[in-house]
Amino acid sequence: MPRDIVAPRYVTVAVSRKAAAEDAVAEALRGLDLSETCFLFAFVPGRLDLPRLATALETGAGGLPVFGCTTAGTITPEGYETEALLILAFPRDHFRCASLLISPLKPLQMKPIASAVRGHAQAFRRTPGWNRLALIFADGLAKQEDMLAATLEAALGEVPVFGGSAGDELAFRETFVLQDGQLHSNAALLLLLETDLEFAGLGFDHFLPTDTQVVVTHALPEDRLVLELNGAPAALEYARITGVDPDALGPRVFAENPMLVRQNMNYHVRAIHDAPGAHALSFLGAIDDGLILTLGRGKEILETLDSGLGVTDARGNVPDFVLGFDCVLRKLEIQKKGLVAQVSEILSRHRVLGFNTYGEQHCGVHVNQTFVGVAFFEPGRRALE
């Protein structure tokens, strides 16, 4: 934690940048008092040997539950990092947790999942006076988060759900969720949390809709692939409306020129992740024929981030810490603009801890290029949302 930033009181943070998985786990766990811990979160950089890391965590945690996922980067007390292992220890005096592995994730079976989730919630005994929320870590390459988020919201009712899709440092090969020493792909991990802390959900991006719209005229929804926009090859039409040479299309262009989808009165980013052969566009969210997409225009990202994280509770207190799920496409844009140091300072000052994702889940919707988080406050009256 930077010297002028006060460490959180209600979560303990450990970070390691060692190259070997066993060494990284050992160094991180040495900084934690496991005797006071209820469960651990581990957010894992893709550079580490994952089977060795999972074994080391299971052994080193001494029987404590360990949950987490692989990432496209971590958010530590120093801000954005790429190679750091981040472990968070949640004290038993203030947290309880129950986990449910949803596997296989693809093909998604909504009714069995909804039934299992309802049963899981009913079996998790309520603690009088404590608050309840849910977190979801999902395989970021299974392409099932849209239906999963909607299913969880319907099954859990008033329990809010927040989460992020696991990453693999932009390799887009294989992502994993972690439950009790086991790594799972094609899976999602649902965590029901109870806490005597107050909390507030966060969700914001930095884009406004423009007047430029396109219609998806040929799509392969199961693959999130768009072949045509406005009847033209998708990548060529996207390049035309953004004023970019088709040969220059790539993650940073997509990050700065996102497509937005309107839902009710709100716009959500439906991010593009690749332009595969034959001039197609591959998306990170649900896509279908007839969908109207609106080109987004960026707002000032530093001001938007600082303002979005500036939530307080009913007594005017700032969060003790913020558990954050921040899209890796935001990080790419920030890197291109040379703003990593400034963004890291803002994240650190607001005590954000978490990871960079391949997508975020918030209010029953799977979104992209968005910051989603949970701000935790001292126990007391309900925080302002």
Side-chain angles (χ1 to χ4, degrees):
M1 186 74 62
R3 291 181 181 179
D4 57 342
I5 304 296
V6 178
R9 294 178 56 194
Y10 297 103
V11 69
T12 306
V13 186
V15 178
S16 178
R17 301 167 186 88
K18 289 189 176 294
E22 295 92 340
D23 294 341
V25 170
E27 181 181 54
L29 292 180
R30 278 198 298 271
L32 302 174
D33 182 0
L34 300 184
S35 67
E36 302 297 326
T37 298
C38 182
F39 57 90
L40 301 172
F41 280 177
F43 298 130
V44 182
R47 66 178 180 81
L48 294 176
D49 184 303
L50 297 179
R52 288 179 177 272
L53 177 130
T55 299
L57 280 171
E58 185 179 24
T59 302
L64 286 174
V66 183
F67 310 116
C69 63
T70 57
T71 73
T74 49
I75 305 172
T76 76
E78 302 292 331
Y80 277 153
E81 298 204 48
T82 300
E83 299 186 349
L85 169 67
L86 173 66
I87 299 181
L88 306 177
F90 291 78
R92 63 168 55 96
D93 286 347
H94 299 285
F95 289 93
R96 295 177 60 237
C97 182
S99 70
L100 174 68
L101 185 71
I102 300 172
S103 178
L105 193 55
K106 184 179 184 179
L108 187 75
Q109 300 181 22
M110 295 177 61
K111 289 185 178 180
I113 290 174
S115 178
V117 168
R118 285 192 290 266
H120 181 60
Q122 290 170 1
F124 187 39
R125 178 180 54 83
R126 284 193 174 272
T127 302
W130 282 34
N131 303 307
R132 180 171 288 203
L133 69 150
L135 301 176
I136 185 73
F137 303 143
D139 183 335
L141 299 179
K143 302 180 180 179
Q144 300 298 304
E145 301 102 317
D146 304 275
M147 294 303 299
L148 177 63
T151 300
L152 294 177
E153 183 184 48
L156 290 172
E158 295 182 356
V159 178
V161 184
F162 312 93
S165 301
D168 62 350
E169 296 184 358
L170 293 177
F172 292 101
R173 288 192 296 266
E174 195 169 22
T175 63
F176 297 90
V177 297
L178 175 68
Q179 182 193 43
D180 297 338
Q182 299 295 317
L183 292 161
H184 305 271
S185 62
N186 191 25
L189 181 63
L190 175 67
L191 301 172
L192 289 181
L193 266 63
E194 280 201 341
T195 178
D196 66 341
L197 274 63
E198 301 297 340
F199 69 86
L202 306 177
F204 56 86
D205 58 45
H206 60 288
F207 295 101
L208 294 171
T210 67
D211 294 330
T212 302
Q213 294 184 327
V214 294
V215 179
V216 177
T217 49
H218 189 188
L220 301 177
E222 63 277 10
D223 296 320
R224 293 179 176 170
L225 198 65
V226 174
L227 304 180
E228 291 183 0
L229 293 172
N230 293 340
L236 299 184
E237 182 67 358
Y238 174 79
R240 183 188 69 81
I241 66 172
T242 56
V244 175
D245 188 296
D247 293 335
L249 295 181
R252 291 187 175 179
V253 172
F254 301 143
E256 292 188 324
N257 301 275
M259 305 306 296
L260 311 181
V261 175
R262 185 173 179 176
Q263 185 175 31
N264 298 324
M265 298 302 293
N266 298 315
Y267 283 89
H268 303 289
V269 179
R270 192 61 44 90
I272 303 169
H273 116 256
D274 194 12
H279 304 304
L281 291 175
S282 176
F283 281 74
L284 290 171
I287 213 78
D288 206 347
D289 289 339
L291 185 66
I292 298 174
L293 299 173
T294 300
L295 185 65
R297 179 182 69 249
K299 296 185 289 184
E300 210 289 322
I301 195 167
L302 295 179
E303 181 181 340
T304 302
L305 178 63
D306 203 15
S307 175
L309 292 173
V311 63
T312 59
D313 68 8
R315 297 159 293 177
N317 296 323
V318 300
D320 181 69
F321 70 98
V322 176
L323 185 63
F325 314 112
D326 193 24
C327 186
V328 68
L329 293 178
R330 287 169 51 86
K331 185 177 182 180
L332 286 175
E333 180 184 352
I334 287 162
Q335 288 173 332
K336 182 177 180 181
K337 293 180 175 178
L339 298 175
V340 171
Q342 295 96 312
V343 167
S344 290
E345 186 279 328
I346 293 171
L347 294 170
S348 178
R349 176 160 40 85
H350 288 283
R351 288 181 283 196
V352 178
L353 305 163
F355 69 98
N356 294 113
T357 74
Y358 280 178
E360 305 77 54
Q361 291 77 52
H362 182 229
C363 297
V365 180
H366 172 64
V367 294
N368 306 120
Q369 227 159 326
T370 300
F371 182 97
V372 168
V374 185
F376 290 93
F377 302 85
E378 289 186 359
R381 291 163 49 199
R382 170 66 64 182
L384 294 175
E385 300 249 8

